[in-house]
């Protein structure tokens, strides 16, 4: 257990360290969390900027393909030559004109297409007109008619383009191993919308691949995908022709999971068709530079934190040295070394506390001597008190012996008087219980009335009426007796009379009950001025033993009874006092009904 009982200095050091370390870790975690999206946005923005440059060049390559096909579609000489081909079987002069125009057209097309080395242009007329910018020994253009996609050109609208997409390179004059071409086909239609020929143009995929590879960053993947997610070109040629399973995600997505690895995703549309240019950069690589900056910043903070901890430890050790000395001093005091003094000097709070303890020890030493003297006197007083306690018991036993003696001689009246006197003395001397039952209070009143009748030689009669359950109610001891005493002494004035005591239970809210006790007599009563004086004292709570009509036997005045009830029950007590001269006095008290001691 002691290994966890740290000193104040260690607690201060650890508290300071925690107060600095927790915010430091919190700042790092919050910065890492809050900048995660920002770093991702920057990575996506950088990727999109690079992708736009690639998009421009890829669009240029595909636009060149369309431009070449537009030459074949829009050139009137080509259309005328295809249509004249129908007349080459005519006269000799027509045949010569046809061959002359054909040779001139071929030279013009060769001169025009000489700059497009990576493009393979094929023009096929239905009248056997054919033009290619490659040798027939490399590839026979009539084999295009057997391609499965060629028939779709017959259904293509005028001036529309059918994007065949990726195909294996079938031209013999180039390296065919792992070589592909991207092909488009367009029909040549007359003004009457009849097809007179076809234009098929293929561009070597390596031309696009060179653009993707030239512009890519390290660890970046750039690819050209068609609308079905098939790779038309890729920086990694092993993916060409394969389908990307992750394709088709929302444009708002910034990352994509591929084989359990996250990539920063960016795309740009190709305006010539529905193809997409896509960039993938590993997320860890994209944000690595920014994360390195964050780690360097955290490392500097940790370095400053270490220096701060060393400085803080030294300062706390210096500042807490007086506290440590005071702790040792108090430990010696706890072991009984009251003659020691701290000896701590300085001008701070600890020094003030040490001086206060020294002064306190001086006073304690003087008080110990005084207490020793007082304890001696106290033991003497306790012995005297013990002797005094013997006398009441002796009196009770003596009175009981006298009562039995008188009773044995047949004098029942005097025996009852002695019994009443003994009971009253016991009730007066025994003040251990503040509350007694209402029945015990009524019994005490009966004894008191019997003695007062004997003393004054008059006859005061008691009429007690208790509703069922009232006799068990707990009431303050000597609560009713002062009312009886006041009625006998002041109300009847040595004459006979009647005193009526009534008790009833009154139901209150939530199942609680109050007990209402009414004490009335048919004595002399009080004058109006005296009654108003008593009411004023009751309202101001000024009643005490001297204010009542006399303290009497119990030493408790009538007004003191009201004051006691207010102190015990507070606002829950209700009191009334009515009196009329030559009629009598009525006293009503009402308070919570209880049968268990508080």
């Amino acid at each position: 257990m002691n290994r966890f009982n740290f000193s104040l200095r260690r607690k201060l050091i650890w508290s300071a360290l925690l107060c600095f370390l927790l915010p430091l870790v919190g700042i790092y975690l919050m910065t890492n969390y809050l900048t995660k999206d920002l770093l991702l946005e920057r990575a996506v923005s950088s990727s999109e900027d690079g992708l736009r440059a690639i998009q421009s060049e890829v669009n240029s390559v595909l636009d060149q393909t369309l431009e070449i096909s537009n030459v074949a579609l829009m050139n009137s000489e080509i259309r005328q030559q295809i249509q004249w081909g129908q007349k080459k079987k005519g006269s000799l002069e027509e045949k010569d004109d046809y061959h002359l125009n054909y040779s001139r057209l071929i030279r013009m097309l060769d001169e025009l297409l000489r700059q497009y080395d990576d493009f393979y242009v094929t023009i096929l007329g239905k009248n056997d007109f054919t033009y290619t910018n490659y040798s027939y020994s490399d590839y026979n253009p009539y084999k295009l008619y057997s391609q499965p996609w060629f028939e779709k050109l017959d259904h293509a609208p005028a001036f529309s383009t059918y994007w065949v997409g990726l195909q294996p390179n079938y031209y013999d004059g180039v390296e065919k191993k792992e070589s592909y071409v991207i092909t488009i086909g367009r029909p040549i239609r007359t003004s009457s919308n009849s097809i007179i020929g076809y234009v098929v143009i293929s561009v070597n995929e390596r031309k696009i691949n060179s653009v993707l590879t030239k512009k890519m960053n390290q660890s970046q993947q750039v690819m050209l995908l068609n609308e079905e997610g098939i790779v038309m070109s890729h920086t990694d040629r092993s993916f060409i022709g394969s389908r990307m399973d992750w394709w088709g995600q929302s444009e708002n997505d910034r990352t994509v999971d591929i084989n359990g690895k996250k990539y920063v995703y960016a795309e740009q549309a190709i305006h010539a068709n529905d193809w997409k240019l896509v960039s993938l950069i590993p997320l860890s690589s994209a944000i690595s530079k920014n994360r390195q900056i964050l780690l360097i910043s955290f490392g500097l903070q940790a370095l400053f934190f270490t220096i701060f901890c060393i400085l803080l430890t030294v300062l706390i050790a210096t500042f807490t040295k007086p506290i440590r000395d005071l702790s040792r001093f108090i430990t010696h005091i706890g072991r009984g070394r009251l003659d020691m003094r701290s000896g701590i000097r300085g001008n701070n709070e600890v020094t003030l506390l040490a001086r206060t303890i020294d002064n306190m020890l001086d006073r304690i030493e003087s008080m110990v001597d005084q207490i020793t003297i007082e304890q001696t006197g106290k033991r003497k007083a306790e012995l005297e008190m013990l002797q005094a306690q013997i006398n009441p018991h002796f009196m009770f036993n003596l009175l009981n012996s006298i009562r039995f003696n008188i009773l044995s001689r047949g004098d029942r009246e005097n025996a009852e008087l002695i019994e009443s006197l003994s009971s009253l003395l016991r009730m007066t001397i025994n003040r251990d219980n503040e509350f007694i039952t209402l029945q015990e209070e009524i019994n005490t009143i009966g004894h008191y009335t019997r003695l007062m009748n004997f003393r004054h030689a008059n006859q005061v009669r008691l009429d007690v009426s208790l509703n069922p359950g009232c006799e068990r109610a707990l009431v303050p001891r000597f609560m009713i007796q002062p009312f009886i005493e006041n009625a006998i002494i002041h109300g009847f004035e040595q004459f006979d009379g009647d005193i009526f005591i009534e008790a009833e239970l009154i139901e209150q809210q939530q199942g609680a009950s109050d007990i209402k006790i009414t004490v009335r007599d048919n004595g002399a009563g009080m004058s109006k001025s005296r009654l108003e004086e008593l009411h004023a004292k009751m309202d101001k709570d000024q009643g005490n033993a001297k204010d009542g009509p006399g303290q009497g036997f119990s030493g408790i005045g009538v007004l003191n009874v009201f004051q006691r009830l207010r102190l015990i029950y507070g606002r829950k007590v209700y009191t009334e006092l009515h009196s009329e001269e030559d009629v009598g006095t009525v006293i009503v008290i009402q308070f919570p009904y209880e049968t268990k001691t508080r």
Side-chain angles (χ1 to χ4, degrees):
M1 293 296 292
N2 291 333
R3 58 181 176 178
F4 299 108
N5 189 14
F6 296 142
S7 64
L8 177 61
R9 181 175 62 176
R10 290 187 178 181
K11 290 179 180 179
L12 289 174
I13 293 175
W14 281 110
S15 298
L17 294 180
L18 288 176
C19 290
F20 193 86
L21 182 61
L22 291 179
L24 180 65
V25 175
I27 290 173
Y28 173 75
L29 295 177
M30 289 298 295
T31 303
N32 190 40
Y33 174 76
L34 294 176
T35 58
K36 180 174 62 177
D37 293 338
L38 179 60
L39 296 178
L40 179 59
E41 289 294 335
R42 289 182 177 179
V44 171
S45 177
S46 176
S47 178
E48 288 179 344
D49 291 341
L51 202 59
R52 288 190 188 96
I54 299 175
Q55 176 198 30
S56 177
E57 295 195 25
V58 172
N59 278 333
S60 177
V61 173
L62 298 180
D63 286 345
Q64 288 178 4
T65 306
L66 294 176
E67 289 174 2
I68 296 172
S69 65
N70 286 335
V71 170
L73 290 177
M74 307 302 296
N75 191 285
S76 59
E77 294 185 10
I78 295 177
R79 287 176 171 272
Q80 187 178 19
Q81 190 66 32
I82 293 175
Q83 291 175 346
W84 282 0
Q86 303 292 339
K87 302 178 180 180
K88 65 181 180 178
K89 295 182 181 180
S91 62
L92 181 60
E93 182 178 356
E94 289 176 347
K95 291 181 180 180
D96 291 339
D97 289 341
Y98 172 79
H99 289 297
L100 179 63
N101 291 330
Y102 178 78
S103 299
R104 184 169 57 84
L105 180 61
I106 295 300
R107 287 194 300 273
M108 180 193 71
L109 291 174
D110 287 341
E111 184 68 23
L112 181 64
L113 299 176
R114 185 173 298 167
Q115 57 182 327
Y116 301 103
D117 294 335
D118 293 318
F119 292 86
Y120 307 103
V121 181
T122 303
I123 301 176
L124 298 175
K126 286 195 172 183
N127 57 2
D128 295 332
F129 173 85
T130 305
Y131 170 80
T132 65
N133 66 341
Y134 53 86
S135 173
Y136 278 35
S137 61
D138 293 337
Y139 182 72
N140 183 359
Y142 290 102
K143 290 183 179 180
L144 292 175
Y145 286 107
S146 62
Q147 292 293 330
W149 49 265
F150 197 86
E151 293 181 356
K152 297 180 180 180
L153 298 181
D154 293 336
H155 305 288
F159 301 105
S160 65
T161 302
Y162 177 72
W163 290 87
V164 179
L166 187 71
Q167 290 185 301
N169 195 342
Y170 39 70
Y171 298 102
D172 295 335
V174 296
E175 183 182 357
K176 299 178 65 173
K177 185 178 181 182
E178 295 184 358
S179 179
Y180 301 89
V181 292
I182 296 176
T183 302
I184 67 170
R186 304 181 71 178
I188 302 175
R189 295 179 181 270
T190 64
S191 58
S192 61
N193 205 32
S194 60
I195 297 177
I196 60 175
Y198 305 93
V199 178
V200 178
I201 302 176
S202 299
V203 59
N204 197 321
E205 180 273 335
R206 291 183 183 275
K207 185 173 182 64
I208 297 178
N209 183 266
S210 64
V211 176
L212 304 183
T213 306
K214 179 176 64 175
K215 300 289 184 178
M216 69 172 286
N217 298 324
Q218 188 177 6
S219 74
Q220 181 182 15
Q221 299 181 36
V222 183
M223 63 196 77
L224 179 64
L225 304 178
N226 68 1
E227 62 276 4
E228 297 177 356
I230 298 175
V231 179
M232 301 289 103
S233 183
H234 199 292
T235 51
D236 185 352
R237 299 185 60 80
S238 62
F239 286 101
I240 296 177
S242 60
R243 182 186 297 275
M244 295 292 131
D245 296 333
W246 47 265
W247 175 248
Q249 68 172 26
S250 172
E251 294 181 359
N252 296 325
D253 292 341
R254 291 291 182 256
T255 59
V256 61
D257 289 327
I258 303 176
N259 297 327
K261 189 175 181 180
K262 275 189 173 295
Y263 289 85
V264 177
Y265 174 86
E267 68 174 36
Q268 292 292 328
I270 301 299
H271 61 71
N273 48 35
D274 295 332
W275 296 358
K276 300 286 185 180
L277 198 60
V278 176
S279 168
L280 296 177
I281 302 177
L283 180 61
S284 58
S285 174
I287 63 176
S288 60
K289 291 184 179 180
N290 295 292
R291 184 160 291 175
Q292 287 176 0
I293 296 175
L294 184 63
L295 289 175
I296 292 174
S297 174
F298 182 75
L300 291 175
Q301 294 182 38
L303 176 62
F304 292 139
F305 168 72
T306 303
I307 297 174
F308 167 78
C309 291
I310 296 173
L311 180 61
L312 180 66
T313 303
V314 174
L315 292 176
I316 290 179
T318 303
F319 294 152
T320 58
K321 183 178 183 301
I323 299 177
R324 188 171 66 253
D325 295 340
L326 182 61
S327 176
R328 293 173 181 172
F329 169 61
I330 293 176
T331 301
H332 288 300
I333 293 175
R335 294 173 181 172
R337 299 284 304 276
L338 299 180
D339 57 331
M340 288 187 63
R341 297 298 180 264
S342 64
I344 300 175
R345 299 294 178 264
N347 295 318
N348 51 53
E349 294 82 356
V350 178
T351 303
L352 179 61
L353 178 61
R355 290 175 181 172
T356 303
I357 293 175
D358 290 341
N359 295 333
M360 182 183 66
L361 289 174
D362 293 338
R363 289 195 299 271
I364 288 176
E365 283 187 338
S366 63
M367 290 173 63
V368 168
D369 296 337
Q370 182 179 355
I371 291 173
T372 302
I373 297 173
E374 290 178 354
Q375 288 295 327
T376 303
K378 185 177 179 180
R379 283 194 293 271
K380 293 180 179 178
E382 289 176 350
L383 180 60
E384 293 175 357
M385 186 180 298
L386 182 61
Q387 293 173 349
Q389 288 179 349
I390 299 175
N391 295 331
H393 294 287
F394 174 75
M395 292 293 295
F396 294 148
N397 295 331
L398 180 60
L399 286 174
N400 286 329
S401 298
I402 294 173
R403 184 176 69 86
F404 284 123
N405 186 32
I406 294 174
L407 188 62
S408 63
R409 294 180 180 181
D411 191 352
R412 182 176 225 30
E413 180 179 356
N414 289 325
E416 290 178 353
L417 288 173
I418 292 176
E419 180 184 5
S420 296
L421 177 61
S422 176
S423 298
L424 280 178
L425 287 176
R426 182 178 291 106
M427 183 65 68
T428 304
I429 295 173
N430 181 17
R431 298 180 181 267
D432 293 337
N433 297 325
E434 182 180 359
F435 292 88
I436 60 175
T437 63
L438 180 58
Q439 185 62 56
E440 290 176 322
E441 180 75 3
I442 295 297
N443 294 339
T444 300
I445 292 171
H447 294 308
Y448 175 76
T449 304
R450 182 183 294 121
L451 291 174
M452 292 299 288
N453 286 338
F454 173 76
R455 176 185 175 188
H456 296 289
N458 59 355
Q459 186 63 34
V460 175
R461 294 171 294 277
L462 278 179
D463 187 346
V464 179
S465 175
L466 303 180
N467 285 359
C470 293
E471 70 279 359
R472 299 193 307 273
L474 291 178
V475 299
R477 193 156 53 94
F478 289 116
M479 179 188 71
I480 303 177
Q481 184 272 334
F483 303 153
I484 306 302
E485 182 178 3
N486 189 64
I488 293 175
I489 296 176
H490 300 283
F492 298 120
E493 297 179 348
Q494 312 299 326
F495 295 102
D496 296 346
D498 297 308
I499 298 177
F500 302 91
I501 301 176
E502 301 173 355
E504 60 178 328
L505 296 180
I506 300 177
E507 296 293 331
Q508 300 293 335
Q509 296 179 352
Q510 299 180 350
S513 299
D514 281 359
I515 183 170
K516 180 179 179 182
I517 301 174
T518 303
V519 180
R520 58 187 176 87
D521 62 67
N522 53 7
M526 287 183 283
S527 64
K528 185 176 181 180
S529 60
R530 178 57 178 164
L531 181 63
E532 291 177 353
E533 180 184 354
L534 288 177
H535 279 159
K537 291 180 179 181
M538 288 172 57
D539 293 338
K540 293 181 180 180
D541 250 347
Q542 294 177 346
N544 51 50
K546 294 181 180 180
D547 292 329
Q551 294 185 12
F553 169 77
S554 63
I556 302 173
V558 174
L559 294 181
N560 262 357
V561 173
F562 295 153
Q563 187 179 30
R564 285 177 63 204
L565 291 174
R566 289 193 182 97
L567 290 174
I568 295 172
Y569 299 105
R571 296 183 177 181
K572 296 181 180 179
V573 68
Y574 170 77
T575 60
E576 287 184 12
L577 175 60
H578 304 285
S579 184
E580 185 177 352
E581 284 186 295
D582 299 327
V583 175
T585 302
V586 179
I587 299 175
V588 180
I589 54 175
Q590 181 176 327
F591 52 88
Y593 173 73
E594 296 178 354
T595 58
K596 294 182 180 179
T597 306
R598 286 169 168 252

